């Protein structure tokens, strides 16, 4: 078998700014063989700030101005690490990520924009909201608009900071609340609109006046309360929503990198390299010493082609770096609240609705680059192949990873039935239990093994999830994790990348195992076509909890929401929102040790919900216990986006086999919510049958421990039958 080309160099992009987003898009259409691309960003999306005023005014929905970095990274074949960079070790070539350790690089680029520095005012942290990051501001604004519309709060707003951004947001909020006679005040400690032409400034001042917005210049705010902003001259400005737009600054951690800075910003030359030739920078975090310009997104966008070329040149050892030559001035298009805009360039000013349509077209065309990613055609099927090959490829869906890559339950059951029963008396495994049980004189030891194909390029996160997944069988039997062996298969890569990757994987897995009380005591490594990771885990238990003790009337409790298989399948097809994927990954990475400790003392039967889906694993309890079960769909906890994706017909590749394996034993409606009962879960929750009288107490304990647990149904006397209501 011919393996893929080996990976030999690491390119790490720090930040999901406009330049890096465009580099990712270019990379997806023409990747550099042998280079592994990593993006580090705090969240799963990045806002296009040019459309923010339009969103606040009500002209765009939230999705219109979000660059989905999860989807973009999948398109680019890049790994996305959801974390905040907090430092760079130039000598060791490492990026420090908060809560994630270090990520190694051979070449790196920084595009993190300007830090949001909310006003350092007494009370602002408690009562104010910064305009950046977008997420918190947008949510607070939506809540405030609804409260005003419902008559619960007066429409009183204060905006601190009267630069172009502050003026745009003030006009946008005034427009959105125009039917409620808003009282809006714009506060600037210095002079308003300092970086715009005189004609444009006069026009914007007139717009503020026409919108009924009061401008206060030359007076600093000193305190923010729940109902007002106090000024240095003693005045109190009524405000039920105080927005901070002032205070943009360079990120503080850049000062500790050793890179050459100018006023806190990274100095770059014409080729976008910094004082360290292996480090590039772009966007607002960078200072172009050869051609100083004001901070504006237009420069980041136009730096992207040069940056993409020069990063590839650095990775290949070339020396033909391109120069970036910024234009002398750029067209400023300022939103005016309503669907009108003002244009300013070279001191010339125009305004009107036609300019809004022009701005809208420019903004939408830019965002279409990320919303409508090019469809990359798969290679054609072979012209001559064995029977069945073309038919197997006809579906077009790539095989899912995680538990979606498992062998179907019917095939597995057929194989297991052919195995001889354990000949040893010290092997006391119950029929179909999650782990084998070994009998010793003083205790019992459980042993289990699991292996997963990688479903995310963030190998550290994948290792955490794989470790939680492997521990699931031990926790499901009420055992205390003891020891683990790792089995790692790496894709082809150079020895240096092997060491980096193994370090990420084993470091993350060791944290999970140690937190669970287990130790990784060894393992095995190998090279293959793709990354896969598994663990053999042992645990100790005085009385293991099996699947065969459920009784009619018992309550069924589930400790995690379901939907991971559907979300991962959608993510592979570029159909899932990044925030849905991020939520699913976070759920999968959540250990179940504390939940097992709550459930095990009272559970009559317990299992973990993984590859065969909730229906399949519940039927295993029913078969072992001689009972049936009922599930209430309305009580079923679902991951964000799972039901919407299932309604669109998106299924994991194992879904059909899971559904077929339960044929004749499940009575269920035909709808999206019911379809998720057959969705294969990776690192899913525990499913326990507990006495009905204990259910409320146990559920309360699980919720207090932070689990998204729910009582999803009950055990019935209808043998080996599952009814979905």
């Amino acid at each position: 078998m011919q393996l893929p080309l080996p990976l030999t160099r690491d390119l790490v992009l720090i930040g999901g700014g406009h330049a890096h987003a465009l580099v990712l898009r270019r990379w997806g259409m023409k990747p550099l063989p042998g280079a592994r691309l990593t993006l580090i960003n705090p969240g799963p999306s990045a806002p296009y700030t040019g459309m923010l005023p339009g969103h606040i005014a009500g002209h765009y929905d939230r999705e219109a101005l979000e660059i989905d970095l999860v989807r973009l990274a999948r398109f680019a074949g890049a790994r996305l690490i959801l974390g905040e960079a907090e430092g760079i070790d130039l000598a060791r070539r490492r990026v420090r990520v908060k809560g994630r350790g270090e990520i190694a690089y051979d070449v790196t680029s920084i595009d993190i924009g300007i830090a949001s520095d909310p006003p350092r005012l007494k009370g602002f942290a408690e009562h104010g909201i910064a305009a950046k990051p977008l997420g918190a501001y947008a949510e607070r604004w939506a809540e405030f608009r609804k409260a005003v519309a419902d008559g619960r709060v007066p429409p009183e707003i204060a905006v601190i900071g009267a630069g172009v951004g502050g003026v745009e947001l003030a006009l946008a909020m005034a427009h959105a609340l125009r039917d409620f006679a808003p009282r809006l005040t714009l506060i600037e400690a210095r002079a308003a609109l300092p970086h715009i032409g005189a004609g444009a400034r006069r026009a914007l001042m007139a717009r503020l006046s026409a919108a009924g917005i009061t401008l206060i210049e030359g007076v600093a705010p000193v305190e923010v309360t729940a109902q007002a902003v106090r000024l240095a001259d003693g005045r109190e400005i009524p405000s039920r929503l105080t927005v901070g737009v002032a205070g943009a600054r360079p990120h503080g951690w850049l000062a500790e990198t050793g890179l050459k800075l100018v006023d806190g910003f990274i100095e770059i030359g014409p080729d976008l390299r910094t004082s360290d030739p292996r480090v590039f920078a772009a966007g607002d975090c960078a200072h172009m010493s050869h051609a100083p310009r004001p901070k504006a997104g237009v420069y980041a966008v136009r730096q992207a082609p040069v940056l993409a070329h020069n990063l590839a040149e650095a990775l290949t050892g070339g020396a033909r770096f391109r120069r970036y030559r910024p234009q002398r001035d750029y067209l400023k298009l300022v939103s005016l609240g309503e669907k009108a805009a003002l244009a300013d360039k070279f001191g010339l000013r125009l305004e009107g609705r036609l300019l809004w349509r022009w701005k809208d077209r420019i903004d939408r065309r830019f965002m279409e680059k990320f919303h409508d990613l090019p469809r990359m055609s798969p290679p054609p099927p072979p012209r001559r192949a064995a029977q069945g090959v073309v038919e197997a490829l006809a579906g077009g869906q790539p095989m899912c990873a995680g538990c979606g890559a498992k062998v179907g339950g019917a095939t597995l059951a057929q194989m297991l039935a052919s195995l001889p029963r354990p000949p040893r008396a010290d092997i006391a495994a119950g029929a179909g239990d999650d782990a084998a049980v070994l009998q010793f004189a003083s205790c019992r030891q459980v042993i289990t093994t699991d292996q997963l194909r990688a479903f995310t390029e963030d190998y550290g996160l994948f290792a955490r999830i794989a470790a939680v997944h492997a521990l699931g069988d031990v926790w499901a039997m009420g055992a205390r994790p003891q020891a683990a062996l790792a089995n790692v298969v790496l894709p082809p890569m150079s020895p240096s990348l092997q060491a980096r990757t193994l370090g990420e994987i084993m470091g993350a897995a060791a944290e999970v195992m140690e937190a669970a009380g287990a130790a990784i005591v060894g393992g095995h490594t190998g090279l293959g076509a793709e990354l896969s990771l598994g663990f053999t885990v042992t645990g100790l238990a005085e009385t293991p909890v099996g699947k065969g003790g459920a009784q009619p009337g018992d309550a069924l409790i589930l400790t995690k929401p379901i939907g991971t298989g559907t979300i991962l399948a959608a993510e592979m097809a570029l159909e899932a929102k990044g925030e849905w994927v991020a939520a699913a990954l976070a759920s999968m990475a959540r250990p179940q040790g504390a939940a097992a400790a709550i459930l095990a003392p009272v559970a009559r039967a317990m299992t973990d919900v993984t590859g065969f889906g909730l229906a399949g694993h519940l039927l295993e309890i029913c078969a072992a216990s001689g009972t049936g079960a009922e599930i209430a769909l309305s009580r079923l906890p679902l991951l964000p986006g799972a039901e919407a994706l299932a309604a669109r017909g998106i299924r994991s590749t194992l879904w059909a086999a899971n559904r077929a394996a339960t044929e004749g034993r499940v009575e269920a409606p035909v709808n999206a919510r019911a379809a998720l009962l057959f969705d294969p879960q990776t690192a899913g929750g525990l499913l326990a049958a507990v006495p009905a009288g204990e259910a409320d107490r146990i559920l309360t304990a699980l919720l207090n421990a932070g689990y998204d647990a729910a009582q999803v149904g009950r055990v019935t006397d209808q043998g080996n039958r599952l009814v979905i209501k």
Side-chain angles (χ1 to χ4, degrees):
M1 179 180 71
Q2 184 175 0
L3 294 177
L5 290 174
L7 299 170
T8 60
R9 291 291 181 271
D10 268 318
L11 169 59
V12 175
L13 305 181
I14 304 172
H18 300 348
H20 281 175
L22 289 167
V23 167
L24 284 162
R25 188 178 185 276
R26 284 172 171 262
W27 192 281
M29 292 185 288
K30 190 176 181 181
L32 179 66
R36 178 170 63 179
L37 177 58
T38 300
L39 172 66
I40 301 171
N41 196 71
S45 63
Y48 174 50
T49 53
M51 296 174 75
L52 174 58
H55 170 63
I56 297 301
H59 307 317
Y60 304 118
D61 60 29
R62 176 79 175 272
E63 291 183 16
L65 62 155
E66 293 279 3
I67 300 173
D68 191 324
L69 297 177
V70 174
R71 186 167 176 264
L72 185 58
R74 168 65 70 174
F75 172 76
R79 58 178 184 159
L80 172 61
I81 294 176
L82 295 177
E84 184 178 352
E86 59 181 0
I88 301 176
D89 186 328
L90 298 178
R92 296 172 55 243
R93 281 183 267 176
R94 297 287 191 276
V95 180
R96 294 196 306 276
V97 182
K98 188 181 297 183
R100 288 295 306 273
E102 296 182 331
I103 303 297
Y105 69 86
D106 295 292
V107 176
T108 188
S109 178
I110 308 170
D111 182 15
I112 55 176
I114 298 174
S116 174
D117 188 10
R120 296 177 181 178
L121 299 176
K122 180 181 178 182
F124 185 86
E126 295 81 7
H127 305 295
I129 185 72
K132 294 181 181 180
L134 167 64
Y137 171 43
E139 291 172 12
R140 181 81 167 270
W141 169 241
E143 293 169 0
F144 181 77
R145 281 189 68 180
K146 187 175 188 309
V148 169
D150 293 343
R152 290 182 281 118
V153 298
E156 298 170 342
I157 303 172
V159 177
I160 300 174
V164 170
V167 168
E168 281 189 300
L169 290 182
L171 289 169
M173 289 187 284
H175 177 76
L177 297 177
R178 61 193 181 280
D179 295 333
F180 302 97
R183 183 177 178 182
L184 205 148
T185 307
L186 193 56
I187 304 167
E188 174 56 60
R190 301 178 182 84
L193 296 167
H195 303 299
I196 199 164
R201 187 177 190 276
R202 286 193 297 271
L204 288 174
M205 291 292 193
R207 286 280 178 169
L208 291 173
S209 178
I213 299 171
T214 301
L215 174 63
I216 298 176
E217 298 181 88
V219 183
V222 295
E223 184 180 2
V224 177
T225 70
Q227 299 183 3
V229 176
R230 294 196 179 107
L231 304 182
D233 61 8
R235 281 180 289 175
E236 284 198 2
I237 307 302
S239 177
R240 298 303 182 99
L241 176 67
T242 301
V243 181
V245 189
R249 58 172 174 79
H251 288 265
W253 63 265
L254 295 175
E256 302 174 3
T257 61
L259 296 170
K260 187 175 180 181
L261 308 179
V262 175
D263 297 327
F265 298 97
I266 306 168
E267 184 179 56
I268 57 173
D271 58 6
L272 308 182
R273 283 191 289 184
T274 69
S275 54
D276 185 321
R278 293 166 299 198
V279 180
F280 292 74
D284 287 350
C285 69
H287 173 79
M288 296 180 286
S289 57
H290 63 292
R293 295 290 188 275
K295 304 300 179 186
V298 64
Y299 295 117
V301 170
R302 296 189 180 185
Q303 285 169 343
V306 176
L307 180 62
H309 172 86
N310 290 352
L311 289 173
E313 198 71 6
L315 290 164
T316 57
R320 300 179 64 181
F321 293 96
R322 292 180 183 171
R323 294 173 60 90
Y324 170 65
R325 296 179 174 85
Q327 66 269 41
R328 185 163 60 89
D329 194 6
Y330 68 97
L331 178 65
K332 307 172 190 70
L333 287 170
V334 182
S335 296
L336 299 176
E338 59 179 336
K339 289 187 176 181
L342 178 145
D344 177 52
K345 186 175 183 180
F346 297 125
L348 301 176
R349 185 264 306 170
L350 292 171
E351 63 179 294
R353 293 185 175 275
L354 183 62
L355 285 172
W356 164 267
R357 290 197 290 271
W358 185 24
K359 181 182 188 308
D360 178 63
R361 188 178 300 114
I362 292 171
D363 290 339
R364 289 184 184 275
R365 189 173 298 162
F366 177 75
M367 291 304 294
E368 281 173 5
K369 295 176 182 291
F370 308 106
H371 291 163
D372 299 321
L373 293 169
R375 291 286 180 180
M376 308 307 289
S377 301
R383 291 193 300 174
R384 182 175 174 83
Q387 285 184 330
V389 169
V390 174
E391 290 78 6
L393 293 173
Q397 180 182 359
M399 184 175 68
C400 292
C403 275
K406 285 182 179 290
V407 173
T411 303
L412 185 60
Q414 182 180 1
M415 181 276 296
L416 290 174
S418 67
L419 294 178
R421 293 185 60 81
R424 298 174 58 100
D426 55 359
I427 300 178
D433 277 333
D434 288 299
V437 180
L438 308 180
Q439 181 69 54
F440 293 94
S442 58
C443 69
R444 293 183 180 183
Q445 183 185 56
V446 302
I447 182 170
T448 183
T449 190
D450 234 308
Q451 188 90 13
L452 297 174
R453 287 178 63 228
F455 46 80
T456 173
E457 296 296 320
D458 182 348
Y459 293 166
L461 178 58
F462 173 58
R464 291 178 183 277
I465 294 171
V468 169
H469 181 80
L471 286 163
D473 288 340
V474 174
W475 285 324
M477 296 194 73
R480 303 180 303 278
Q482 179 190 25
L485 295 170
N487 189 8
V488 187
V489 178
L490 297 177
M493 56 181 64
S494 66
S496 62
L497 264 69
Q498 290 175 24
R500 293 174 183 176
T501 304
L502 282 173
E504 284 185 39
I505 289 172
M506 297 312 297
E511 285 185 11
V512 174
M513 291 293 180
E514 289 171 7
I520 297 179
V521 295
H524 179 77
T525 60
L527 295 177
E530 61 183 0
L531 176 69
S532 68
L533 175 62
F535 298 93
T536 298
V537 187
T538 64
L540 300 174
E542 287 72 27
T543 306
V545 181
K547 296 178 182 176
Q551 298 178 16
D554 283 351
L556 293 169
I557 291 180
L558 179 65
T559 63
K560 279 188 181 184
I562 63 173
T564 62
T566 294
I567 291 172
L568 292 179
E571 192 268 338
M572 289 181 64
L574 305 181
E575 296 290 340
K577 293 182 182 179
E579 62 191 70
W580 296 346
V581 178
L585 293 172
S587 178
M588 286 185 271
R590 177 74 194 270
Q592 296 287 285
I598 293 169
L599 289 165
V602 294
R604 290 189 171 127
M606 189 157 63
T607 186
D608 62 332
V609 180
T610 52
F612 302 147
L614 178 57
H617 288 287
L618 178 52
L619 282 170
E620 289 179 338
I621 288 180
C622 293
S625 303
T627 63
E630 287 182 357
I631 290 290
L633 283 179
S634 61
R635 295 184 179 182
L636 202 61
L638 304 179
L639 287 165
E643 188 170 5
L645 292 170
R648 288 162 51 189
I650 294 176
R651 304 285 188 267
S652 173
T653 48
L654 189 59
W655 185 92
N658 284 348
R659 186 67 180 91
T662 64
E663 194 69 38
R665 295 184 291 159
V666 176
E667 177 185 326
V670 180
N671 59 42
R673 202 172 185 88
L676 290 169
L677 291 167
F678 310 99
D679 186 53
Q681 304 303 292
T682 301
L686 299 174
L687 176 66
V690 305
E694 296 278 3
D696 288 344
R697 179 184 65 82
I698 292 169
L699 188 58
T700 299
L702 288 168
L703 294 173
N704 289 339
Y707 290 96
D708 296 324
Q711 182 178 334
V712 297
R714 66 186 185 93
V715 179
T716 70
D717 58 5
Q718 299 180 25
N720 204 20
R721 184 170 180 78
L722 175 58
V723 178
I724 313 299
K725 295 184 176 181

